[in-house]
Amino acid sequence: MLLDPYNQTDHPECKSRPDNGLSAITELDPGYITGPLSSVWKEWIKWCIEFGIEANAIIAVPYDWRLSPSKLEERDLYFHKLKLTFETAHKLRGGPSLVFAHSLGNNVFRYFLEWLKFEIAPKQYIQWLDKHIHAYFAVGAPLLGATESVKAALSGTTFGLPISEGTARLMFNSFGSSIWMMPFSKHCSQESKYCKHFANKAKDIHLVYECEEQESNYSGWPTNIINIEIPSMGVLGTPAYPSVSELTQLNSSGMECGLPTQLSFSAREISDGTFFEAIVDYDPDGKRLLYHLKKSYHEDEVLNPLTPWERPPLKNVFCIYGIDSKTEVGYYFAPSGKPYPDNWIITDIIYEIEGSLYSRSGDLVKGNPGTASGDETVPYHSLSWCKNWLGPKVNITRAPQSEHDGSDVQVKLNVMHDREVDIVPNMTREARVKYITYYEDSESTPGRRTAVWEIDKANHRNIVRSSILMRELWLEMWHDNHPNTKSKFVTKAKRGPLRDDDCYWDYGKARCAWPEYCEYRYAFGDVHLGQSCRLKSSSADLLLNYV
């Protein structure tokens, strides 16, 4: 899977390309044992088919996640093909599409929307979007990057694969996309290349990546992303991170070694290249990553992805993510004494946990924590950036994730919201109950709806397999397409079983739970009582409760 670190060509002995069709997104490694362990969108597809969506109406658009956005188009014509996919789907189905993206897929979709501006006449751009895209569901979007990408770049992340961290690091840093998920500051921006293009000045003006002079502490993040010991060597030209044998030779030569210098780098200093420039003399990957940063991101002809994303100009936007899980937000690195690529070790990790910062040893750390924590992979600060897409007045609803009768639903209407200030609902929580908090705005822009869903304890990598998320997605899709819809968003007043799988046996009451919806009805093959609990009515009839 390794790519040439500069021109992004395949290894001479191995050429890898993304698969096509639904099989490419259901399971990474199909098989009796490996399939369930590597399931991705499989459960979501099963839900759609169970509720009547034809399999050929679900279109997967896999991409080579190793490549930078510009290389995706240059090598694979990915964005041209994606545009054609939308247009073909519209002709076949006679209506606009629903877009679902997870994690880095959201960054890919953002780039597509910007790329599209150069392919369609300005006056027709919004018309094309309205015609071809009804709603966009951004799931687990790293809108301001993810700190784990820093760990992958400096020490390697194996994700459970049977390889060493050094090998994982070599592989990750050979990918042009390694920069794409790096954390960046919300205070940094770049002039619109789209505007320059249509002013016929795109080739004459160098667009500068600029950051506000008076940005907040830590670039708005909870803490500095990188704290690293840079060695101070007495003689230039000596290895920055020598092996043990090389250290012995250097010491015997009488060379004086200075103490290491610890430097700290914020998200801004990662995205503007300051960090990579600082390590370029100490680590060969510093030069390569700096090259990719400038060529594939700062100098990208369509978009610099390391800039804050404004609300997409689509009719309906839903931003969905998990909160309040232990999430890495900062690292301490030191020289390991080993040769490249194992020349760094992590000496400490800073975590955000439900509104506080802690070190790996459990000590409380000072900083700028948010009101919640992230989803184990992406910090809350990055996930919640989409709250800035909401307007000045927001309706907030907090409801239990499980089926409920509405008694524990809390609602706040017309809550005032200032841009770049997090919305903190004044609502209660039961200790053992997991909630979904909905932030909804359908009034700020006529004909446009924006919603943010925060799902307690939803894991970044598993959220697309969450039955809770699938239920909410399906209800919202069904609500939007029903001709007798009465409200802007689907009601949160109650949640009952929608499928036979949602019914179960209540051993305390010796009956099927939710007797209003479920009944005991044995069928051949049932091996326990819960399997014999089935819906009284069809799913179609039950859905009428959510118009």
Side-chain angles (χ1 to χ4, degrees):
M1 293 181 67
L2 282 168
L3 298 175
D4 183 279
Y6 287 99
N7 59 27
Q8 295 293 279
T9 55
D10 292 288
H11 190 277
E13 299 178 0
C14 180
K15 178 180 179 180
S16 300
R17 292 293 183 271
D19 195 3
N20 295 314
L22 293 183
S23 62
I25 66 170
T26 52
E27 296 173 340
L28 296 179
D29 188 11
Y32 184 76
I33 296 177
T34 58
L37 297 175
S38 62
S39 174
V40 185
W41 289 93
K42 183 177 180 179
E43 293 301 317
W44 181 86
I45 292 171
K46 287 174 61 178
W47 262 74
C48 291
I49 294 175
E50 185 173 344
F51 280 99
I53 297 179
E54 297 178 13
N56 59 7
I58 305 171
I59 304 172
V61 282
Y63 59 95
D64 192 333
W65 44 264
R66 302 173 299 170
L67 301 179
S68 64
S70 58
K71 204 69 177 180
L72 275 174
E73 177 61 20
E74 178 186 331
R75 194 196 72 181
D76 298 343
L77 294 177
Y78 180 81
F79 299 108
H80 270 95
K81 294 177 182 178
L82 184 55
K83 176 176 178 287
L84 183 61
T85 298
F86 278 114
E87 293 171 343
T88 302
H90 185 274
K91 289 182 179 180
L92 290 175
R93 296 288 163 182
S97 299
L98 303 173
V99 176
F100 296 87
H102 175 243
S103 195
L104 183 61
N106 292 283
N107 301 42
V108 174
F109 184 63
R110 176 196 183 184
Y111 192 91
F112 168 71
L113 294 179
E114 292 297 320
W115 172 88
L116 196 63
K117 292 179 180 179
F118 295 89
E119 299 297 314
I120 297 177
K123 293 183 179 179
Q124 298 176 0
Y125 176 67
I126 298 298
Q127 295 176 9
W128 191 96
L129 294 178
D130 289 348
K131 178 180 179 181
H132 294 92
I133 302 175
H134 171 73
Y136 164 45
F137 294 85
V139 182
L143 298 172
L144 296 177
T147 48
E148 280 197 1
S149 59
V150 171
K151 179 172 69 174
L154 290 183
S155 64
T157 302
T158 65
F159 295 108
L161 297 174
I163 57 176
S164 68
E165 290 184 342
T167 300
R169 183 190 180 202
L170 283 171
M171 183 170 64
F172 181 79
N173 288 344
S174 76
F175 302 157
S177 62
S178 60
I179 299 291
W180 209 349
M181 292 272 278
M182 289 286 178
F184 57 90
S185 172
K186 65 181 181 180
H187 301 287
C188 296
S189 61
Q190 192 160 296
E191 284 186 275
S192 171
K193 301 180 182 185
Y194 172 71
C195 295
K196 296 296 182 184
H197 174 80
F198 284 99
N200 296 318
K201 297 179 181 179
K203 297 181 179 180
D204 301 326
I205 295 180
H206 177 67
L207 299 176
V208 180
Y209 184 65
E210 295 180 330
C211 300
E212 297 175 16
E213 293 183 4
Q214 296 181 341
E215 67 172 8
S216 57
N217 291 338
Y218 312 121
S219 299
W221 284 71
T223 185
N224 284 319
I225 309 296
I226 300 174
N227 303 275
I228 189 168
E229 290 185 5
I230 299 293
S232 176
M233 303 299 288
V235 178
L236 293 176
T238 57
Y241 290 98
S243 64
V244 174
S245 60
E246 289 171 329
L247 273 175
T248 303
Q249 294 174 5
L250 291 171
N251 290 336
S252 63
S253 68
M255 187 194 76
E256 295 183 1
C257 296
L259 294 174
T261 301
Q262 180 166 297
L263 302 177
S264 298
F265 297 90
S266 65
R268 167 184 173 173
E269 292 164 324
I270 296 173
S271 61
D272 69 8
T274 301
F275 166 68
F276 301 112
E277 290 174 348
I279 68 168
V280 76
D281 292 330
Y282 305 98
D283 192 303
D285 276 347
K287 181 179 179 181
R288 289 193 283 266
L289 292 170
L290 187 61
Y291 171 83
H292 277 305
L293 174 66
K294 292 182 178 179
K295 183 177 186 298
S296 301
Y297 295 87
H298 290 180
E299 298 174 5
D300 189 289
E301 295 181 356
V302 173
L303 167 76
N304 178 2
L306 304 181
T307 52
W309 190 7
E310 297 298 320
R311 183 195 184 280
L314 302 169
K315 287 182 179 178
N316 304 291
V317 177
F318 294 80
C319 184
I320 306 161
Y321 51 87
I323 63 168
D324 282 347
S325 294
K326 183 180 179 180
T327 306
E328 298 173 4
V329 294
Y331 303 97
Y332 283 81
F333 294 96
S336 66
K338 297 179 181 180
Y340 172 84
D342 299 305
N343 49 322
W344 303 102
I345 59 171
I346 297 177
T347 59
D348 204 356
I349 300 175
I350 307 302
Y351 298 95
E352 60 177 7
I353 307 174
E354 299 184 10
S356 299
L357 300 179
Y358 293 90
S359 67
R360 186 159 55 182
S361 61
D363 296 330
L364 190 65
V365 176
K366 293 182 180 180
N368 183 35
T371 57
S373 53
D375 62 5
E376 292 190 33
T377 300
V378 183
Y380 177 76
H381 172 70
S382 180
L383 293 165
S384 63
W385 173 254
C386 57
K387 283 186 176 179
N388 290 291
W389 300 350
L390 297 165
K393 291 185 179 181
V394 180
N395 296 332
I396 306 175
T397 305
R398 176 170 288 166
Q401 293 182 18
S402 60
E403 286 82 5
H404 61 85
D405 59 6
S407 59
D408 194 20
V409 174
Q410 304 168 68
V411 180
K412 300 284 185 182
L413 301 178
N414 297 319
V415 177
M416 301 304 297
H417 169 230
D418 295 325
R419 181 175 170 81
E420 296 194 20
V421 176
D422 194 11
I423 310 174
V424 183
N426 183 22
M427 295 176 173
T428 60
R429 285 179 176 272
E430 294 290 336
R432 297 185 179 182
V433 179
K434 294 180 181 179
Y435 294 92
I436 303 181
T437 306
Y438 309 83
Y439 304 82
E440 297 173 333
D441 172 23
S442 61
E443 306 295 335
S444 298
T445 305
R448 297 284 190 264
R449 294 185 305 159
T450 307
V452 176
W453 300 351
E454 292 183 341
I455 306 177
D456 291 357
K457 304 298 182 180
N459 174 276
H460 179 82
R461 294 182 175 89
N462 295 328
I463 191 171
V464 294
R465 298 194 289 271
S466 165
S467 60
I468 303 301
L469 172 62
M470 288 186 280
R471 179 195 70 199
E472 295 303 311
L473 288 174
W474 175 253
L475 288 176
E476 194 63 54
M477 289 189 295
W478 183 87
H479 170 272
D480 287 2
N481 288 303
H482 197 279
N484 297 326
T485 294
K486 302 174 184 177
S487 58
K488 295 291 185 180
F489 295 95
V490 67
T491 178
K492 316 298 186 301
K494 63 178 179 179
R495 288 290 183 269
L498 295 176
R499 308 179 303 161
D500 287 340
D501 288 351
D502 298 332
C503 297
Y504 58 92
W505 184 260
D506 186 338
Y507 286 90
K509 297 181 179 179
R511 68 182 186 189
C512 291
W514 294 95
E516 179 184 351
Y517 300 94
C518 304
E519 63 182 1
Y520 182 84
R521 195 165 70 248
Y522 174 81
F524 180 76
D526 292 346
V527 295
H528 58 77
L529 293 170
Q531 287 183 322
S532 298
C533 292
R534 291 179 167 84
L535 293 174
K536 290 181 176 180
S537 305
S538 68
S539 296
D541 293 334
L542 293 174
L543 286 170
L544 294 176
N545 296 318
Y546 301 97
V547 176

